[in-house]
Amino acid sequence: MERWLTNTIVGILSILLIGAFACKKATPAAKVTLTPLQSLINTDTTLSLYHLMILRADDVALLNDAPATLLIPRNAVLERSGYPEMAIDSMSSALADRIVRYNYLPAAINIDSAGYNSNPTQLGVPLYILNNGNGLLLLNGSVTLPNQAAKVGQASVYYLDSIVPPAADSLPEIVQSDSTLTYLAEALYRTNLYDSVLLTGSYTLLA
C-alpha cells in the first residue's frame, strides 16, 4: 500500500512538472500591428466604401507605410459616382483594382513645372496634374483638389471631391469613347488584356 501511494505521488509530480515546462515553452500569439494607413481606413467611417473597394481589389498591400500619395474618395463621393456598397460588392476585382491603383501615386505629387505635369500611378497610366496657383490642383482637366495633403505615417493623403477620370490618351478612354468599338471595349474589360499585356511596352492595336 505504501509503495502504491509513493508511485502515485511520483506520477502526479511528474505530470505537474511536464505541465509546468509545457506552459513555459508556449509563446504568446504575435500581436498584429497595423500601419497608419490601415488604421485610418479601418477606423474612419466615411471611408468604409473605399475600404471595401481596397478589399475587393485585393490591394491591402498598398496600405503599407511608404512615402506614397493616395487620392481617396469618401463614401459620399463614391455613392455619387455610382459606386454604392452593392455596386462595389458586385464589381470585378480587376475594375476595383484599376480604380484604386489609378489613385495611388508611388511618390509625392509632381507640380514642379508650368502646365500639366505627368505623375506616374500604380496602374501604369499617368495622372496629369496642374497647379492653378490658387491653392488648388487640377487633375486630368476636370477634378480639383486642395493643394494640402494630410500626413498619415509616411504617406500623403488627399481627399477627392469626385472620381478622377482616366487620362485622355489612355487606351481604355479612347476605346470607350468610340461608340463603334463597344465590342472591343468589352473584350478588353473581360480579358483584362490592357492591364496584363498592353501596359508592358510599345505595341500596335488593330481595332
Side-chain angles (χ1 to χ4, degrees):
M1 179 69 179
E2 185 177 337
R3 184 176 180 184
W4 174 85
L5 183 59
T6 302
N7 290 341
T8 302
I9 293 172
V10 170
I12 292 172
L13 289 175
S14 299
I15 292 171
L16 291 174
L17 286 172
I18 291 171
F21 281 119
C23 289
K24 287 182 180 179
K25 289 181 180 179
T27 55
K31 186 178 179 181
V32 176
T33 303
L34 297 178
T35 68
L37 280 173
Q38 288 171 334
S39 296
L40 171 69
I41 303 304
N42 288 350
T43 57
D44 190 333
T45 56
T46 68
L47 302 178
S48 59
L49 292 181
Y50 179 75
H51 186 189
L52 182 61
M53 189 170 285
I54 286 279
L55 296 176
R56 186 67 181 157
D58 196 20
D59 281 334
V60 175
L62 294 181
L63 300 180
N64 60 352
D65 193 21
T69 300
L70 283 79
L71 310 177
I72 299 180
R74 295 188 184 275
N75 291 350
V77 173
L78 284 170
E79 289 173 345
R80 191 168 62 244
S81 302
Y83 298 108
E85 183 176 350
M86 185 178 297
I88 295 174
D89 274 335
S90 61
M91 73 168 46
S92 69
S93 59
L95 177 56
D97 181 66
R98 285 182 62 88
I99 294 172
V100 170
R101 287 178 180 269
Y102 191 58
N103 290 278
Y104 183 101
L105 285 62
I109 286 180
N110 170 33
I111 49 173
D112 292 338
S113 58
Y116 279 97
N117 292 263
S118 175
N119 285 261
T121 68
Q122 196 69 24
L123 181 61
V125 180
L127 179 61
Y128 295 96
I129 304 178
L130 168 72
N131 185 354
N132 72 356
N134 296 319
L136 293 174
L137 303 177
L138 190 60
L139 313 181
N140 286 354
S142 61
V143 177
T144 55
L145 196 68
N147 189 12
Q148 186 63 46
K151 292 298 291 185
V152 182
Q154 296 186 65
S156 298
V157 173
Y158 293 85
Y159 293 104
L160 294 169
D161 290 330
S162 60
I163 295 293
V164 183
D169 65 349
S170 69
L171 179 63
E173 182 72 4
I174 293 171
V175 172
Q176 290 169 11
S177 63
D178 189 333
S179 60
T180 67
L181 297 176
T182 53
Y183 289 170
L184 177 61
E186 184 66 15
L188 288 174
Y189 168 72
R190 289 181 181 240
T191 60
N192 198 31
L193 183 65
Y194 179 70
D195 291 343
S196 61
V197 177
L198 300 184
L199 278 177
T200 59
S202 300
Y203 55 85
T204 298
L205 178 68
L206 304 178

